């Protein structure tokens, strides 16, 4: 009997490689997302520390120049925070897309592996059936030889 050969093995290999690449892509997207979140937190912290600097004067004289600087800097920080939130949302969408792609590839790989397993079991069943036929044939041949040799004596 021929040895087991899965016709879709090449496809399974390709899908497995695609899965590896999709996992790497997801990891890259997640790192990018975390980077964007850290930047957002840094901008938010900068805004908070700007307000804290103004509040921390505790009755000390605050110059008009300091007040004007903060008044001009706060809208810039808020714009940067808004812009960074947009970048964080886009990065999250990219992570979700990469996760969906990985999920689809994993489903395809699992289906191919399940089919391969089913084909392997069918092959083993057929192999055992053929093996049993050979063993039966050998047993029948021995039996008839034994009878014919016994009748010759």
């Amino acid at each position: 009997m021929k040895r087991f050969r899965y016709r879709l093995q090449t496809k399974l290999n390709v899908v497995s490689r695609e899965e590896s690449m999709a996992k790497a892509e997801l990891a890259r997207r997640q790192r990018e997302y975390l980077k964007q979140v850290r930047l957002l937190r840094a901008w938010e912290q900068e805004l908070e520390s700007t307000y804290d600097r103004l509040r921390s004067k505790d009755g000390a004289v605050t110059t008009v120049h300091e007040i004007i600087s903060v008044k001009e800097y706060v809208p810039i920080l808020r714009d940067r925070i808004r812009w960074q939130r947009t970048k964080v949302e886009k990065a999250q969408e990219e992570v979700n897309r990469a996760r969906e792609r990985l999920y689809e590839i994993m489903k395809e790989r699992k289906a191919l592996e399940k089919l391969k397993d089913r084909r392997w079991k069918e092959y083993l069943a057929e192999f055992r059936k053929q093996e049993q036929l050979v063993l039966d044939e050998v047993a029948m041949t021995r039996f008839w030889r034994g009878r014919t040799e016994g009748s010759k004596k």
Side-chain angles (χ1 to χ4, degrees):
M1 187 168 174
K2 296 181 197 177
R3 68 183 192 104
F4 177 72
R5 185 173 180 279
Y6 181 52
R7 290 183 320 117
L8 297 174
Q9 185 62 46
T10 304
K11 174 73 173 166
L12 180 58
N13 293 344
V14 168
V15 170
S16 293
R17 268 186 255 128
E18 285 178 357
E19 181 180 3
S20 296
M21 292 180 351
K23 283 179 182 179
E25 179 67 14
L26 176 59
R28 188 180 72 74
R29 299 284 183 181
Q30 287 174 329
R31 282 191 306 273
E32 179 63 25
Y33 169 74
L34 292 175
K35 176 184 168 187
Q36 297 302 328
V37 168
R38 282 193 298 274
L39 286 171
L40 175 62
R41 298 295 171 248
W43 287 119
E44 288 172 342
Q45 183 62 39
E46 175 69 21
L47 180 63
E48 191 61 35
S49 68
T50 301
Y51 283 133
D52 287 345
R53 268 185 270 137
L54 198 56
R55 282 186 225 124
S56 69
K57 297 293 181 175
D58 291 330
V61 177
T62 304
T63 65
V64 172
H65 178 66
E66 289 174 338
I67 294 172
I68 291 173
S69 307
V70 168
K71 186 177 179 183
E72 290 175 354
Y73 188 50
V74 166
I76 293 170
L77 281 175
R78 286 188 178 148
D79 285 343
R80 287 182 179 170
I81 289 170
R82 215 173 300 118
W83 176 71
Q84 191 61 36
R85 282 189 179 131
T86 303
K87 287 182 79 173
V88 167
E89 289 170 5
K90 286 180 183 176
Q92 180 63 48
E93 289 170 5
E94 293 295 325
V95 167
N96 291 340
R97 273 195 287 274
R99 188 174 286 128
E100 286 293 320
R101 176 152 166 58
L102 176 61
Y103 176 73
E104 292 301 319
I105 291 171
M106 286 175 69
K107 275 185 6 183
E108 185 177 4
R109 180 190 50 82
K110 286 179 181 180
L112 287 168
E113 285 178 347
K114 197 172 186 179
L115 183 60
K116 181 180 181 179
D117 189 45
R118 191 176 316 136
R119 296 287 186 254
W120 173 249
K121 287 177 183 175
E122 290 171 0
Y123 171 82
L124 281 180
E126 183 61 30
F127 180 79
R128 288 186 180 125
K129 183 179 172 186
Q130 294 296 324
E131 186 178 46
Q132 190 60 47
L133 287 174
V134 169
L135 291 174
D136 290 347
E137 185 67 31
V138 168
M140 287 295 280
T141 304
R142 279 188 150 177
F143 173 76
W144 287 108
R145 259 193 208 154
R147 282 188 115 189
T148 56
E149 287 177 7
S151 62
K152 288 182 182 178
K153 291 183 182 180

